[in-house]
Amino acid sequence: MVHICSITTATATAVTIAVSFASALTLVSAHPNMHLTSSSSSGHGPHALEKRAPAAAPSCSTTYTPVAAGQYPVIDCVPFIQDPQVQTWLKLVDFSKTPVFPPSQKGVCPTDLTTLPQEQCWWTCQKCDAPDDITSCPTTGTWGLTFDDGPSPDSPRLYDNLLQHNQKATLFIVGSRAISFPATLKRAYNEGHQIAIHTWSHPSMTSLSNEQIVAELKWTEKAIFDTIGVTPIYWRPPFGDVDARVRNIATQLGLKTSIWTQNFDTNDWNIPAGVATPQSVVDTFKGWLAKIPSMPHGFIVLEHDLFPEEVNVSINGVLPVAYATKGLLMQPIAQCLNDGKPYREGAGTFKFLPGGGSNGTNSGNKNSVTGLGGAYGGQGILVASALTSLIVFGMNL
């Protein structure tokens, strides 16, 4: 059992609060459109995450203003489709091949789910995985380590921890954050993390028009390319909000839709809202460890690095437990899928970690990039029956 206690000294508490408060102030000053108010909702949807990047915030103008040469759209606002750059990108998609489904109301599921056609395959509401969705790693005992919503003022603390353990992750980057913290994004790329797309303004993608979907993805792609010189192939829809219409457009743009394993949401995003606690997040993760050895495939977990509380629970709680769990193989998604070229330009700085993650694939798992079958011949993972390490939390709750 892992014993978790809180730092109780006045000095440690003061330092933690000061650091977190300074980070929050930096984030707010860098992103004047961002709302940091808490939400009482416990559902993983846009209503619970308005503090992140509200696409429909009052500060987002409804009057079209052209994006100046060499500039980007207003941060945290859905880009205008009238912009000449977007009009050029729209030519990349044949919308006659895109399924027709009405945009959702901010990604919220209807009360009567039977009204949704089966072919819509709406991941949020219908729990539907499309054949090409990346939702797990092929090999049992492998964890596809991912973090969403960065880069942020607190991301370097996460990168420090990963660097100390020679650990790489898949980082799903918000375009608005990329242009706000380019040096942090460059560091992540230079240290070999897999950089992926997480849209421009973090909207519910099913709520957008076809043209807005293109604008969200391509502006983020451009912001990342302008910063690190490579074009990500992987993307993740905010809130996991994707259906057949959104998938089709992303696929036509050359992107691979990567979500996470159903029910493997740490709920860390609810700590800033006061709905979840660091203890509950760690307990959730520990609960997964017991069932991982019997799973027919590996798993992908939802975690974030936008707010200090999210980084705190990762580096002080979840990651220490993971590092201490024998046989648990933590890898970026691209490596667990045996994909050495996660960018349109190739490998970039991405390299497979020592030990690899491509020693076997599960013939029944749809997420194998190679498509090569073969039974997994390993012994699964050995979960330690007891952990005696003391994990100390110094968090601003």
Side-chain angles (χ1 to χ4, degrees):
M1 178 177 292
V2 177
H3 299 282
I4 301 173
C5 63
S6 300
I7 296 177
T8 57
T9 66
T11 300
T13 302
V15 169
T16 300
I17 292 175
V19 171
S20 298
F21 184 63
S23 297
L25 288 179
T26 302
L27 188 60
V28 172
S29 63
H31 312 298
N33 295 325
M34 181 172 287
H35 292 192
L36 294 177
T37 56
S38 297
S39 167
S40 60
S41 173
S42 60
H44 192 187
H47 54 288
L49 289 173
E50 289 178 344
K51 61 184 180 298
R52 298 210 166 169
S59 56
C60 293
S61 174
T62 58
T63 302
Y64 167 59
T65 301
V67 177
Q71 299 300 310
Y72 300 91
V74 177
I75 63 171
D76 299 334
C77 295
V78 177
F80 287 100
I81 64 174
Q82 300 96 316
D83 193 84
Q85 177 65 81
V86 176
Q87 289 296 309
T88 299
W89 288 329
L90 292 178
K91 297 176 183 178
L92 300 174
V93 179
D94 182 352
F95 291 119
S96 69
K97 299 179 180 179
T98 301
V100 178
F101 298 106
S104 68
Q105 297 297 316
K106 298 183 179 180
V108 178
C109 301
T111 303
D112 183 4
L113 295 181
T114 63
T115 62
L116 298 174
Q118 184 176 358
E119 61 270 20
Q120 184 170 355
C121 196
W122 189 355
W123 195 81
T124 306
C125 303
Q126 297 170 294
K127 305 299 181 184
C128 177
D129 293 346
D132 292 333
D133 285 351
I134 299 169
T135 58
S136 63
C137 292
T139 304
T140 297
T142 302
W143 171 12
L145 184 63
T146 72
F147 294 91
D148 292 12
D149 295 353
S152 77
D154 287 274
S155 296
R157 295 194 295 120
L158 172 65
Y159 302 166
D160 288 344
N161 180 278
L162 297 175
L163 185 62
Q164 290 168 5
H165 292 84
N166 191 31
Q167 180 63 55
K168 310 302 179 186
T170 300
L171 306 176
F172 288 99
I173 303 297
V174 172
S176 293
R177 306 287 83 76
I179 66 169
S180 299
F181 303 102
T184 306
L185 177 55
K186 288 178 182 177
R187 173 190 169 177
Y189 174 70
N190 290 337
E191 291 182 357
H193 297 291
Q194 179 192 355
I195 306 301
I197 290 172
H198 198 41
T199 75
W200 176 261
S201 66
H202 205 277
S204 297
M205 293 296 275
T206 63
S207 71
L208 303 183
S209 69
N210 291 350
E211 294 80 7
Q212 288 174 322
I213 292 170
V214 173
E216 282 280 341
L217 295 173
K218 293 299 288 187
W219 273 119
T220 307
E221 177 187 287
K222 176 175 170 53
I224 292 174
F225 178 83
D226 290 349
T227 303
I228 60 176
V230 294
T231 309
I233 294 175
Y234 292 71
W235 86 289
R236 172 175 284 172
F239 323 112
D241 188 46
V242 66
D243 66 2
R245 179 175 67 95
V246 178
R247 287 186 188 93
N248 176 274
I249 295 171
T251 299
Q252 288 199 54
L253 293 175
L255 297 175
K256 298 179 180 181
T257 300
S258 177
I259 316 178
W260 57 90
T261 305
Q262 290 277 7
N263 300 318
F264 275 69
D265 178 354
T266 63
N267 208 33
D268 64 342
W269 50 275
N270 251 327
I271 298 177
V275 176
T277 66
Q279 178 74 62
S280 69
V281 169
V282 174
D283 286 346
T284 294
F285 180 73
K286 289 164 58 182
W288 294 333
L289 294 179
K291 62 182 181 181
I292 288 170
S294 61
M295 292 174 62
H297 51 72
F299 59 100
I300 298 173
V301 172
L302 179 65
E303 293 183 272
H304 304 82
D305 64 320
L306 178 60
F307 286 97
E309 297 94 334
E310 296 166 343
V311 173
N312 287 345
V313 75
S314 183
I315 65 177
N316 296 325
V318 173
L319 287 176
V321 171
Y323 294 145
T325 301
K326 295 181 180 179
L328 180 61
L329 188 60
M330 302 158 63
Q331 298 178 334
I333 291 177
Q335 179 165 1
C336 88
L337 298 179
N338 195 27
D339 182 3
K341 298 180 179 179
Y343 306 111
R344 193 172 300 161
E345 296 78 11
T349 61
F350 183 78
K351 298 179 180 178
F352 283 169
L353 295 170
S358 55
N359 295 325
T361 58
N362 188 302
S363 59
N365 189 281
K366 63 184 175 59
N367 289 329
S368 173
V369 168
T370 63
L372 299 177
Y376 176 59
Q379 298 297 317
I381 74 169
L382 176 63
V383 179
S385 60
L387 297 174
T388 58
S389 60
L390 184 64
I391 301 172
V392 179
F393 278 81
M395 299 184 175
N396 57 317
L397 301 179

